[in-house]
Amino acid sequence: MTQIKKIGLYTSGGDSPGMNAAIRAVVRTAIYYGIEVVGIRRGYEGMTKGDFIPMNRKSVSNIIQRGGTILKTARCDNFRTPEGRQQAYDQLKKHNIDALVGIGGDGTFTGAKIFGAEFDMPIIGLPGTIDNDLMGTDFTIGYDTAINTVVEAVDKIRDTAESHDRLFIVEVMGRDSGLIALRTGIAAGAEAILIPESKGGMDGLFNRLENGRKDKTSRIVIVAEGEEAGGAFEVGRLVQERFPHYDTRISILGHIQRGGAPSCMDRVLASRVGAAAVEALRDGHRNEMIGIIHNEIAYTPFEHAIKHHVEINPNLLKLVEILSM
Ligand code: ATP
């Protein structure tokens, strides 16, 4: 068992609902094992500047249900430089921090991987991103809440679509990944989905609109930000050009997808991996992300977690097509 006395805890990159539940789990588990926790504010930005706050049982009271992150988050270009990382290490040493737990996405773990290779500082990562685009976990913290938010919003849009006989193009988050679009497309009963991973989506959509059921009065198309044609406005323009008789509208869901109270699934996931992070550090793990695969805690080295190999299940794409007839 490794003797860790003080953990530095930070959130970094885009915020996601459930980060607070993870912070609470790390702090309380550490206290349980007699380890001190210092909160590092604004991710790597605060690490380079020594923006640290002591954390205790009380400092994580009443946060499990809150979205965002009480430690705040930021993007930090200085940490991308060797000098910036040296400043961060000097600050950690000055405050006698001997291990780190970082909550974030692939950028956060890329930084952690580089830092962990340069300095003798064990780091454990927790998957905090709404994108679900990390290897080594079935789900990331925030994804479940985000997709539920999207489905709720699309249900509301559907009321208007139905009442006015409209075709709605709804854009959801996902610059590189169509996972949010795919799940929510199925759950919201979309006519079609367009995602970055699958090419020729526009042709498929045109085909559906041309040859699909003619008696449908409303239609919902879910589009991921990073899809081939260039997002909802461009998709809308192309549809309007080809099918001027459709009353086409665009809705960009935007940042509402990141906020709000975390779902039960996200709170439980965050609590489990948060506790496991402290135990992993005690057991001598370092430079790994903790996730849950098939309901079991899983340890994945940072370099594998960030590989972007999360593949789209072709059966789910097919399902959208079958069910939207
Ligand atoms: P999300 O997926 O929600 O956007 P993320 O963790 O991927 O979250 P990023 O903004 O990509 O968010 O990364 C967070 C921070 O990680 C960056 O601002 C930077 O400080 C650090 N980081 C990212 N890439 C590197 C790198 N190559 N070297 C050093 N630090 C990095």
Side-chain angles (χ1 to χ4, degrees):
M1 193 156 305
T2 315
Q3 194 53 8
I4 298 226
K5 296 200 188 71
K6 200 190 257 191
I7 292 173
L9 172 63
Y10 62 99
T11 50
S12 159
D15 67 317
S16 73
M19 280 183 160
N20 282 327
I23 290 170
R24 171 180 178 269
V26 171
V27 170
R28 296 223 164 138
T29 308
I31 292 168
Y32 176 85
Y33 288 115
I35 300 170
E36 265 182 78
V37 182
V38 169
I40 301 169
R41 285 155 49 88
R42 297 187 175 80
Y44 295 123
E45 181 74 27
M47 201 183 288
T48 57
K49 292 183 174 156
D51 188 0
F52 300 161
I53 42 163
M55 303 204 63
N56 56 37
R57 274 186 189 81
K58 190 85 194 304
S59 42
V60 293
S61 288
N62 201 25
I63 64 166
I64 194 167
Q65 80 285 14
R66 283 169 54 189
T69 160
I70 60 162
L71 288 176
K72 300 193 178 278
T73 182
R75 298 201 154 96
C76 173
D77 286 335
N78 189 22
F79 195 78
R80 294 176 188 269
T81 67
E83 300 74 37
R85 294 191 293 275
Q86 182 68 53
Q87 285 162 11
Y89 183 73
D90 294 344
Q91 290 289 356
L92 296 171
K93 282 288 112 184
K94 197 167 125 193
H95 291 83
N96 299 317
I97 291 170
D98 44 26
L100 291 171
V101 175
I103 309 170
D106 58 349
T108 300
F109 299 155
T110 305
K113 184 189 85 154
I114 295 168
F115 191 71
E118 287 174 342
F119 300 100
D120 182 21
M121 176 67 62
I123 313 177
I124 290 292
L126 300 180
T129 165
I130 62 166
D131 295 333
N132 204 33
D133 60 347
L134 293 165
M135 295 290 287
T137 191
D138 290 339
F139 298 106
T140 55
I141 300 165
Y143 177 63
D144 183 64
T145 307
I147 57 180
N148 280 298
T149 301
V150 170
V151 169
E152 206 182 310
V154 175
D155 287 349
K156 289 177 179 163
I157 289 170
R158 188 184 270 284
D159 289 345
T160 298
E162 186 63 25
S163 305
H164 288 268
D165 297 339
R166 282 180 182 157
L167 185 158
F168 263 90
I169 316 269
V170 181
E171 184 178 291
V172 301
M173 282 192 172
R175 276 188 307 249
D176 306 307
S177 162
L179 290 168
I180 292 179
L182 183 59
R183 290 250 167 188
T184 58
I186 293 170
E191 175 83 20
I193 60 156
L194 300 182
I195 56 176
E197 294 88 340
S198 97
K199 303 296 162 210
M202 251 355 262
D203 291 339
L205 175 59
F206 285 165
N207 186 35
R208 276 204 89 67
L209 295 179
E210 214 142 68
N211 304 314
R213 244 176 59 202
K214 295 284 179 271
D215 60 340
K216 269 196 182 181
T217 54
S218 68
R219 295 164 202 268
I220 305 280
V221 175
I222 306 270
V223 169
E225 287 171 293
E227 66 73 48
E228 213 178 13
F233 280 108
E234 189 53 19
V235 171
R237 194 186 63 76
L238 294 169
V239 167
Q240 195 86 74
E241 214 173 78
R242 180 106 169 228
F243 303 93
H245 58 286
Y246 280 124
D247 185 7
T248 305
R249 299 298 157 104
I250 313 294
S251 180
I252 314 270
L253 296 190
H255 283 87
I256 62 161
Q257 295 164 85
R258 281 197 186 282
S263 67
C264 176
M265 293 293 278
D266 275 330
R267 294 182 204 193
V268 174
L269 169 63
S271 300
R272 287 183 70 189
V273 295
V278 176
E279 285 167 354
L281 285 171
R282 276 168 49 87
D283 292 343
H285 287 264
R286 52 164 61 205
N287 304 336
E288 290 174 338
M289 185 198 84
I290 298 204
I292 294 185
I293 300 176
H294 297 142
N295 208 24
E296 298 283 342
I297 295 290
Y299 308 85
T300 305
F302 287 137
E303 63 262 35
H304 293 146
I306 58 185
K307 270 205 169 134
H308 277 296
H309 279 162
V310 180
E311 286 190 0
I312 292 288
N313 180 346
N315 297 331
L316 296 184
L317 273 174
K318 184 77 190 159
L319 192 61
V320 177
E321 198 184 318
I322 295 172
L323 299 184
S324 67
M325 69 168 48

